[in-house]
Amino acid sequence: MRTTRKMTLALAAGSLLGVGIGSPESTVPGAGEPRQAHNNVKKAIRWKTFQYKCKEDKTVTVSLTDTMAKVLYDHQQYLMKQTQSADGNRYSDGKLVWWGKGDGGVLQEDTPDGNGKMVAKDCKLEKSAEENFGGTITGTVTYRQRMAMPPEAVVHVQLLDMSVWDVPPPLIAEVKFPLGSRQVPVPFELKVDPLRIDFRHSYALRARIVVGDEIRFLSELPTAVRLRDNASPHVELVLMQMER
């Protein structure tokens, strides 16, 4: 059991040094200089997500950007383009059309006469997921051992997107601060840009306490955190001691 836990913590510590988790500057082997950022990187599309409750207890989730819509209904996602409409916001993929009118909307089959079969009707807007999430995660970092840490110890807390497979989880937000004269449990506050959150994804927090270049305490596993419909997430992170 002790060997297994030691291996788990070693793997977790190693993953902290993976691509996308460390410093934003990286060096080219042999070049001796930081790699310059490219200015031709395509900017990520930012979506604003809205939840609708419809007749017969149906649910439609609509994510909007300038001229596009992603409509999620009955476990199927439809990518639609904005089309001309004299009344409300109309998006279509040629088969289905989403009409958004004020705080309501309908999802129906797209036909030339505009009288296609209703798929979800009398939809009413619920509070958007972005509005529910306040953009701040609070909590505490602690460990079970009865020992004090030196004041120069630094606490790191990271928010990770756990929905990506076969690669290190992307880093969404991070906060780090010196422990100073405080001892655990120590509070933290992590600011998160809601526009970086896809509310269909799963997210988790990971933390570590570092003295110099040495990791003293580390999350054995990331701790799940619910962002959707959660205005003020609060999480307790209990860390495991690294073998020295």
Side-chain angles (χ1 to χ4, degrees):
M1 179 66 180
R2 183 180 182 85
T3 302
T4 302
R5 174 170 292 176
K6 185 175 180 180
M7 291 177 64
T8 301
L9 291 173
L11 289 171
S15 69
L16 288 171
L17 303 177
V19 177
I21 303 300
S23 169
E25 290 188 349
S26 59
T27 56
V28 179
E33 296 181 356
R35 181 178 298 166
Q36 298 298 316
H38 293 287
N39 294 325
N40 59 350
V41 176
K42 188 176 180 181
K43 186 177 291 187
I45 297 175
R46 293 188 170 185
W47 301 86
K48 188 170 180 63
T49 302
F50 301 90
Q51 186 95 8
Y52 292 84
K53 185 67 75 172
C54 310
K55 195 172 182 178
E56 298 176 352
D57 204 29
K58 296 179 179 180
T59 299
V60 177
T61 302
V62 180
S63 299
L64 300 176
T65 185
D66 291 339
T67 59
M68 302 288 292
K70 291 189 294 186
V71 177
L72 182 66
Y73 170 74
D74 195 25
H75 306 292
Q76 295 290 325
Q77 180 170 279
Y78 305 90
L79 184 62
M80 301 182 179
K81 294 182 179 180
Q82 190 172 23
T83 61
Q84 288 186 347
S85 170
D87 183 18
N89 297 316
R90 186 181 190 276
Y91 298 86
S92 174
D93 65 354
K95 296 181 179 179
L96 290 179
V97 58
W98 167 257
W99 289 84
K101 301 178 182 180
D103 290 338
V106 297
L107 183 65
Q108 67 182 114
E109 294 180 354
D110 194 0
T111 58
D113 61 7
N115 295 318
K117 178 183 176 181
M118 287 289 177
V119 178
K121 60 183 179 179
D122 297 334
C123 300
K124 300 299 181 183
L125 177 66
E126 296 184 327
K127 202 171 185 181
S128 71
E130 288 89 340
E131 291 173 2
N132 283 334
F133 174 52
T136 301
I137 302 173
T138 61
T140 57
V141 175
T142 190
Y143 50 79
R144 302 191 187 285
Q145 287 77 6
R146 299 185 63 181
M147 59 182 296
M149 296 297 295
E152 65 269 20
V154 178
V155 180
H156 298 247
V157 180
Q158 299 175 326
L159 178 66
L160 307 174
D161 185 344
M162 306 302 294
S163 302
V164 181
W165 297 92
D166 300 326
V167 296
L171 176 63
I172 303 300
E174 180 177 26
V175 63
K176 52 185 176 181
F177 52 90
L179 193 59
S181 60
R182 296 172 295 180
Q183 295 299 326
V184 297
V186 59
F188 70 86
E189 181 176 276
L190 178 62
K191 297 292 186 181
V192 182
D193 181 359
L195 292 177
R196 295 200 63 190
I197 300 299
D198 185 332
F199 290 93
R200 297 167 301 169
H201 285 199
S202 299
Y203 295 91
L205 292 172
R206 180 170 63 186
R208 65 187 187 273
I209 300 176
V210 179
V211 178
D213 295 328
E214 181 184 6
I215 299 176
R216 296 287 183 88
F217 289 87
L218 177 69
S219 297
E220 186 173 16
L221 292 172
T223 301
V225 55
R226 180 179 174 84
L227 302 183
R228 186 179 183 88
D229 302 323
N230 194 348
S232 303
H234 187 87
V235 183
E236 180 184 9
L237 302 176
V238 181
L239 310 187
M240 303 296 295
Q241 186 177 15
M242 295 293 292
E243 298 288 345
R244 299 179 65 183

